[in-house]
Amino acid sequence: MVEGSKFYAPTTLTDYPGQDVRRGSCDSGYKQKQEASKRKALGYGRYRPVSGTTQCPSFICAHFQCFNTSWKVDAFTNDDNKAGPFTEESSFATLFPKYREKYLREVWGAVTRALEPHAMACTLDLIHGSMSVRTTRKTYDPYIILKARDMIKLLARGVAIGQAVKILDDAVACDIIKIGNIVRNKERFVKRRQRIIGPDGSTLKAIELLTGCYVLVQGNTVSAMGPYKSLKEVRRIVLDCMKNIHPIYRIKELMIRRELAKDPKLATESWDRFLPKFRRRHLTSAEKSAKKRETITAKAEARKAVVDTNGDKMEVDTTEPPKKKKKVYTPFPPPQLPRKVDLQLESGEYFLKASEKEAKEVARRKQQQAEASVQRQAQRAEAYVAPEETKVATVEEKRRKRKREE
């Protein structure tokens, strides 16, 4: 494996049987991982080193020291599929809401054109409100069916066609985060969901810039597209926000991590001492009372220091408000309230027949309706009551009044 002082890099996956590119501590890039898993499933694949970079496959690092090379994986083409066409047809379907029907009908041609190079077929069912994708006899990529499934999911959740098509790239993944069942209170749910967006979308823009992901908040879900590691950060931010942890804390942490990653000296050190630690502290009842007393005292002192316009101090009542009297403790529980059956026994209603009970209920309803109709008629009759007319003074009366005043 080692020739002189130079390292010998394996050219195929078969050089290290049992090793998996997707595992390990080093990151060789998400696109390389996916392509390697495809080639390994088919039994083919060849890596070509590209100098000038600092990334390497995980299983190489397990045996050798890391050297400045990364591994370029060729695009998966029809020639790589030596097994020929698939023996079975694979398909996925997803439902979409009614308000997306018009948009999907307009852009379905673009969806079909995007799937044509991969030899995938798609169907839009407007009757049942569903979209489906399936493989054909010409499909050569075994992983593209999962990418097409993600694309129709994103389209159903409100993502535009121009953005949803990007999921067909192997370097891009998606995550649809469900947030509808985290908070029960509707008003609280709307407030916390709005925190993810922020004023004029500023918080959402900050998340997109720091993670490199596309994020869309729609209804009870949050759709995200981007690299795998960044999707983990987006999921963490969204779920923490719905659990009443403001996104600004996670955004600040991501900004610090980005600056620390620029320093090569800190590559092998722990970053815990640089990251902020936010703790939620709940005050006890005694601490709350002490804080309340301090506030009352500070207000009283501020009132004493107020000076009147004449220079004299204003008289301020600094007496504390009367305290509420404590209830006398009794070891006996309060009297038990009567049950519905007990009340019916007292009134004799319990012993009535079903028909009698029904007749009594009908009579009660009629009485209520009669009282309500009387009140409504009285309110309507008020509009027809003539207002009191003011008597206009005659000419003689005006003269007499003028003489009296003179």
Side-chain angles (χ1 to χ4, degrees):
M1 289 295 180
V2 180
E3 298 178 0
S5 60
K6 296 181 180 179
F7 289 99
Y8 168 73
T11 56
T12 61
L13 289 173
T14 56
D15 287 359
Y16 287 99
Q19 297 291 343
D20 192 351
V21 180
R22 293 170 293 177
R23 299 176 185 174
S25 58
C26 294
D27 180 17
S28 59
Y30 303 106
K31 187 172 182 179
Q32 290 88 331
K33 291 180 182 179
Q34 288 188 351
E35 293 293 340
S37 61
K38 294 178 193 175
R39 294 175 182 275
K40 185 177 178 183
L42 296 171
Y44 297 96
R46 184 175 294 274
Y47 290 93
R48 298 178 183 175
V50 179
S51 60
T53 55
T54 58
Q55 294 179 339
C56 61
S58 307
F59 63 91
I60 302 298
C61 294
H63 294 80
F64 303 107
Q65 183 182 359
C66 294
F67 46 87
N68 289 335
T69 59
S70 70
W71 303 97
K72 177 186 174 184
V73 180
D74 297 333
F76 194 89
T77 61
N78 197 5
D79 299 333
D80 295 326
N81 187 10
K82 303 296 183 182
F86 303 145
T87 57
E88 296 290 338
E89 180 187 281
S90 301
S91 63
F92 287 99
T94 184
L95 300 174
F96 60 86
K98 184 70 175 176
Y99 63 86
R100 291 288 291 173
E101 181 180 328
K102 183 182 177 183
Y103 178 77
L104 291 174
R105 198 187 308 162
E106 293 173 358
V107 303
W108 197 249
V111 176
T112 308
R113 288 192 296 272
L115 294 175
E116 274 180 3
H118 304 280
M120 293 287 297
C122 58
T123 308
L124 177 65
D125 189 354
L126 297 176
I127 297 173
H128 299 95
S130 66
M131 295 178 285
S132 61
V133 290
R134 64 183 183 278
T135 57
T136 61
R137 296 288 295 174
K138 295 182 180 180
T139 307
Y140 58 88
D141 190 349
Y143 193 72
I144 195 64
I145 183 64
L146 301 179
K147 288 288 186 177
R149 176 202 63 183
D150 293 341
M151 187 178 75
I152 60 174
K153 274 187 179 180
L154 292 169
L155 287 171
R157 292 316 310 151
V159 180
I161 180 63
Q163 184 67 32
V165 169
K166 295 179 183 178
I167 197 65
L168 298 176
D169 186 4
D170 287 336
V172 181
C174 74
D175 188 10
I176 297 176
I177 308 161
K178 296 181 180 179
I179 58 175
N181 56 355
I182 299 176
V183 184
R184 292 185 179 181
N185 192 320
K186 187 70 176 177
E187 294 179 1
R188 196 174 297 165
F189 168 76
V190 172
K191 276 186 180 178
R192 293 183 186 178
R193 186 182 61 181
Q194 186 61 30
R195 282 184 203 163
I196 303 172
I197 302 170
D200 299 329
S202 57
T203 307
L204 193 66
K205 190 67 177 176
I207 294 170
E208 289 181 345
L209 290 173
L210 289 170
T211 59
C213 293
Y214 169 81
V215 185
L216 175 70
V217 181
Q218 177 75 18
N220 292 333
T221 57
V222 177
S223 304
M225 292 175 60
Y228 290 96
K229 283 188 177 178
S230 300
L231 290 177
K232 284 185 179 180
E233 294 292 342
V234 173
R235 174 173 278 273
R236 181 187 175 198
I237 291 170
V238 170
L239 294 180
D240 285 350
C241 181
M242 298 309 294
K243 293 175 183 175
N244 205 20
I245 300 174
H246 203 279
I248 194 64
Y249 299 129
R250 303 303 180 199
I251 290 171
K252 188 176 181 181
E253 184 179 333
L254 289 174
M255 291 172 68
I256 295 170
R257 284 181 183 275
R258 173 183 278 191
E259 294 299 322
L260 292 173
K262 296 178 182 177
D263 191 355
K265 297 178 182 178
L266 300 173
T268 58
E269 296 182 13
S270 176
W271 294 351
D272 291 341
R273 66 180 188 274
F274 301 108
L275 300 176
K277 296 178 182 178
F278 304 103
R279 296 180 181 177
R280 293 181 65 186
R281 188 168 173 237
H282 298 281
L283 297 176
T284 61
S285 57
E287 289 173 339
K288 287 180 181 177
S289 302
K291 197 172 182 181
K292 192 175 180 181
R293 283 196 296 270
E294 288 176 5
T295 308
I296 293 170
T297 308
K299 284 183 180 179
E301 289 177 356
R303 286 172 187 163
K304 286 180 183 179
V306 174
V307 180
D308 196 7
T309 52
N310 299 331
D312 300 331
K313 289 188 177 182
M314 297 174 64
E315 293 182 3
V316 181
D317 186 13
T318 58
T319 56
E320 294 184 0
K323 295 181 179 179
K324 294 181 179 179
K325 292 183 179 180
K326 292 184 178 180
K327 294 181 179 180
V328 181
Y329 172 74
T330 55
F332 306 103
Q336 187 177 358
L337 296 174
R339 298 178 303 165
K340 187 177 180 180
V341 177
D342 296 335
L343 296 174
Q344 289 178 350
L345 287 169
E346 289 180 5
S347 61
E349 187 181 351
Y350 183 80
F351 304 102
L352 296 176
K353 295 179 182 178
S355 58
E356 294 176 345
K357 287 181 181 179
E358 189 176 352
K360 189 175 181 181
E361 183 67 21
V362 170
R364 186 182 63 80
R365 286 179 189 170
K366 286 183 177 179
Q367 185 179 356
Q368 287 182 351
Q369 291 173 0
E371 291 175 358
S373 63
V374 169
Q375 289 179 0
R376 284 196 297 271
Q377 287 176 3
Q379 289 175 358
R380 291 170 186 167
E382 287 177 0
Y384 299 101
V385 175
E388 294 182 1
E389 297 180 359
T390 54
K391 189 178 179 182
V392 181
T394 59
V395 178
E396 290 295 329
E397 290 177 349
K398 288 180 181 179
R399 286 176 183 172
R400 291 172 189 170
K401 186 177 181 182
R402 205 178 299 124
K403 287 180 181 179
R404 264 190 261 110
E405 290 176 356
E406 290 174 357

